[in-house]
Amino acid sequence: MDANRIIYLRDLIAVLTAKEFKLRYKSTVLGYAWSVLHPLAFSMVYFLLFKIVMRVKMDNYALFLITGLFPWQWFSNSISVATMCFLENRTLIKKVKFPRNFLVLSGVVNDMVHFIATIPVIVLFMLIYGKHPSMSWLYQIPILVAMQFGFTYGLALTLATWNLFFRDIERLTNIITMMWFFLTPILFNIEMVPARYRWIEYFNPMASIIMCWRSLFLEGTIPLGFLAAGVVYAAAAVIMGGYVYEKMEWRFAEIV
Amino acid sequence: MSSRPAIVFEDVKKSYIVSDARLQGFKDIVINFPRYLKSLRARGEYEALKGVSFKVEKGECFGIIGRNGSGKSTILGLIAGVLKAGGGRVEVAHRVSPLLELGAGFHPQLTGADNVILNGVLLGMTRKQVEEKYDDIVEFAELGDFIDRPLLTYSSGMVARLGFSVVVHLEPRILLIDETLSVGDERFQKKCIRKMEEFRDRGITMVFVSHDLEAVRRICDRVALLEKGVIQAEGEPAGVVAEYLKTLQINGDG
């Protein structure tokens, strides 16, 4: 790949992401604040429900919730936008030859930027609960961002491609994402899962990723077991997404 | 090197899979499961192109006319590289700039200015290249202050003007024009045709698909008449257009 091509691809991702960014909160008064308010509102509801009503015995439960909900929000937003993204750009796909996976890529980048922009809110909650960010975040956060990015992009590209051939994928994705949310240790701690079922969480890629984030924010360390699992899942997702896309891409213009 | 044609089609075939449109969605499939299985096996194929051959030399303006469904858009899709031929050989010497109908790929909520950059990059330019041309693009489109307003405030003619303006200013080597001139007022249509003539004079290769036979006769050096996926006639514009008009009269349902 020559230098011009690299400059071009860089511009393409920049322009597409800028477009997503401008459109996300177009004509809203609060703009970026929504990407904080949305998961924050959910955190509040879950806090009321589980801490006040059902009295879960857990310290720092509010902080515990947002450290899981914020990364999850990135994942679920990206997935639900991605499934429709090829269909929504059908006129473009029918006429112009350009790397179509960049449509998915720019969506995931956009959600990633929004997630990173919510980290200060997490820090604020940490300070309230008497915890402090550390210098090692400078390399820990990029590692976790890269890991979640890989997994999200790989899965998003797979679903976006399949959705062109089976429009049921979109509906199915919505339901599965909802179930996935409740089966991932976001509202609860993985230790609460009965010991004989706990191994199942190792088959849940998002469990590993959320456990890494939460441990980073609450304890300042990344558990190596979950990190290794997360990296493996991310790599597998990228390979699967790339394979499915490469295999199907030539038919896109015929079926959108 | 320079004598190599810009576009070569050699016995190009293209079929589309036609699935059974009567069964769609989960409910239908469950209720009519045996029929669904049968329809999966018996997928029909629709032959859009049945062995088409032609060459477009560099700097030539090649017209394609024919009725709806004759395969014109399939040819453009193959040249643009968005479709893959089922058989035969397609060779295109340069990067292709398709002229998007009505500014497809524009986003209605973004401003004209944002859309110019977005569309320019999607069509294969780097951001810097688009920015260098930006003033010319805006001037040619004659949008005035509208360039900073969202596209949804534009009339369809204004969108078409902007779309045309972006593509023609990106210095295409091969330009594909698919039925774009029918929008916009007469004055702008004339301006577009002048621009295309200017392109032809500058030696830019063009493939022009249109129902506007007058424009085809005026701009094209050579014209092919397509009928049901086969080239029926090819040659100088006046003759081929006349033959097309004749077939329209015979069949009477043009």
Side-chain angles (χ1 to χ4, degrees):
Chain A
M1 199 155 44
D2 59 288
N4 283 335
R5 182 75 182 156
I6 291 170
I7 291 174
Y8 173 69
L9 292 177
R10 187 203 62 192
D11 284 359
L12 183 60
I13 188 74
V15 169
L16 286 172
T17 308
K19 171 194 161 198
E20 297 289 324
F21 211 82
K22 279 178 185 159
L23 291 175
R24 171 67 60 92
Y25 297 119
K26 190 91 187 169
S27 315
T28 61
V29 178
L30 291 177
Y32 148 78
W34 283 116
S35 49
V36 178
L37 288 176
H38 189 254
L40 219 48
F42 276 103
S43 308
M44 219 167 73
V45 173
Y46 292 126
F47 185 82
L48 280 175
L49 196 65
F50 291 106
K51 188 73 184 175
I52 314 276
V53 179
M54 297 171 75
R55 316 225 179 128
V56 170
K57 286 191 201 73
M58 199 188 291
D59 300 329
N60 309 340
Y61 192 61
L63 179 61
F64 178 88
L65 277 177
I66 67 163
T67 52
L69 274 166
F70 282 26
W72 176 268
Q73 156 118 332
W74 166 17
F75 171 73
S76 73
N77 269 354
S78 287
I79 295 296
S80 82
V81 169
T83 47
M84 289 307 287
C85 111
F86 287 145
L87 285 177
E88 275 165 5
N89 288 287
R90 54 160 68 85
T91 42
L92 213 50
I93 286 172
K94 272 183 187 298
K95 295 285 171 184
V96 193
K97 188 163 173 66
F98 67 100
R100 283 78 173 263
N101 54 334
F102 274 55
L103 293 171
V104 174
L105 194 63
S106 64
V108 181
V109 170
N110 183 34
D111 287 314
M112 177 191 78
V113 172
H114 278 94
F115 165 70
I116 291 172
T118 60
I119 291 181
V121 179
I122 299 181
V123 171
L124 186 73
F125 271 79
M126 286 173 65
L127 294 174
I128 293 172
Y129 284 90
K131 295 181 185 294
H132 298 277
S134 80
M135 281 303 282
S136 43
W137 278 21
L138 287 177
Y139 70 88
Q140 287 168 323
I141 287 185
I143 291 174
L144 294 191
V145 165
M147 176 171 83
Q148 182 167 347
F149 184 89
F151 180 70
T152 309
Y153 169 67
L155 190 62
L157 186 59
T158 310
L159 295 173
T161 305
W162 281 346
N163 195 44
L164 287 178
F165 296 86
F166 312 101
R167 304 283 149 95
D168 313 71
I169 293 289
E170 190 218 345
R171 313 283 162 157
L172 212 56
T173 301
N174 288 338
I175 297 170
I176 290 177
T177 312
M178 197 255 291
M179 285 166 30
W180 199 345
F181 170 75
F182 286 105
L183 294 175
T184 300
I186 297 166
L187 303 177
F188 56 90
N189 198 330
I190 202 162
E191 263 79 60
M192 294 168 161
V193 180
R196 63 196 157 121
Y197 297 125
R198 207 172 297 156
W199 56 273
I200 295 173
E201 289 291 3
Y202 274 97
F203 290 93
N204 175 358
M206 280 314 287
S208 298
I209 292 170
I210 295 291
M211 290 306 287
C212 287
W213 280 117
R214 181 165 280 153
S215 169
L216 175 70
F217 289 128
L218 296 182
E219 280 122 44
T221 56
I222 303 177
L224 280 178
F226 286 119
L227 179 69
V231 169
V232 169
Y233 282 124
V238 169
I239 291 168
M240 176 174 73
Y243 176 77
V244 169
Y245 169 78
E246 289 296 331
K247 216 171 158 69
M248 306 292 209
E249 195 256 355
W250 68 275
R251 283 194 61 198
F252 279 14
E254 291 177 25
I255 53 173
V256 286
Chain B
M1 181 74 191
S2 65
S3 61
R4 232 179 77 208
I7 301 166
V8 180
F9 267 52
E10 227 178 68
D11 194 27
V12 173
K13 297 187 177 74
K14 177 72 192 171
S15 306
Y16 297 108
I17 295 167
V18 189
S19 52
D20 194 336
R22 287 168 301 175
L23 294 177
Q24 266 182 357
F26 190 67
K27 196 185 80 187
D28 274 1
I29 290 173
V30 171
I31 293 170
N32 303 303
F33 198 68
R35 198 148 69 90
Y36 172 71
L37 283 182
K38 211 186 286 172
S39 79
L40 276 185
R41 250 176 289 135
R43 279 194 297 199
E45 290 213 336
Y46 171 72
E47 268 191 300
L49 295 181
K50 304 166 185 164
V52 167
S53 305
F54 64 86
K55 271 183 194 157
V56 181
E57 299 297 333
K58 276 184 185 142
E60 200 178 18
C61 181
F62 188 71
I64 302 173
I65 56 176
R67 268 180 285 189
N68 292 331
S70 57
K72 304 188 297 287
S73 299
T74 302
I75 291 183
L76 286 186
L78 288 165
I79 298 174
V82 296
L83 296 176
K84 206 172 139 188
R89 196 164 62 96
V90 176
E91 249 178 51
V92 179
H94 299 289
R95 200 173 46 75
V96 172
S97 297
L99 189 47
L100 304 174
E101 38 192 50
L102 264 172
F106 280 164
H107 199 288
Q109 294 200 45
L110 294 177
T111 64
D114 286 339
N115 271 306
V116 167
I117 304 285
L118 177 65
N119 224 16
V121 173
L122 281 169
L123 289 170
M125 300 286 131
T126 64
R127 204 191 173 102
K128 195 158 151 266
Q129 284 168 318
V130 185
E131 276 161 2
E132 279 164 10
K133 293 279 171 194
Y134 179 78
D135 291 336
D136 295 338
I137 294 172
V138 174
E139 201 193 303
F140 185 89
E142 301 174 21
L143 293 172
D145 293 339
F146 269 91
I147 195 69
D148 291 318
R149 292 192 205 160
L151 232 70
L152 50 89
T153 63
Y154 288 28
S155 70
S156 56
M158 289 162 84
V159 177
R161 251 144 59 196
L162 191 61
F164 188 81
S165 186
V166 171
V167 174
V168 297
H169 284 91
L170 296 178
E171 297 187 351
R173 304 283 292 275
I174 299 176
L175 185 58
L176 305 182
I177 304 162
D178 188 0
E179 207 56 71
T180 324
L181 301 179
S182 49
V183 283
D185 56 22
E186 203 164 322
R187 197 179 61 85
F188 189 76
Q189 283 183 29
K190 286 203 174 111
K191 194 170 160 186
C192 294
I193 290 185
R194 269 203 306 281
K195 192 82 193 169
M196 285 164 66
E197 284 172 333
E198 184 196 315
F199 274 152
R200 191 186 55 193
D201 298 340
R202 266 167 52 196
I204 289 162
T205 311
M206 281 186 285
V207 179
F208 184 35
V209 168
S210 183
H211 291 289
D212 180 354
L213 299 176
E214 193 42 54
V216 169
R217 213 166 3 204
R218 188 166 153 194
I219 301 167
C220 296
D221 302 308
R222 216 148 45 82
V223 174
L225 169 59
L226 208 59
E227 175 75 36
K228 290 178 185 149
V230 182
I231 291 186
Q232 291 247 301
E234 191 190 326
E236 53 87 34
V240 178
V241 168
E243 192 170 330
Y244 178 48
L245 289 173
K246 224 187 298 168
T247 64
L248 284 185
Q249 272 166 356
I250 291 168
N251 295 299
D253 59 350

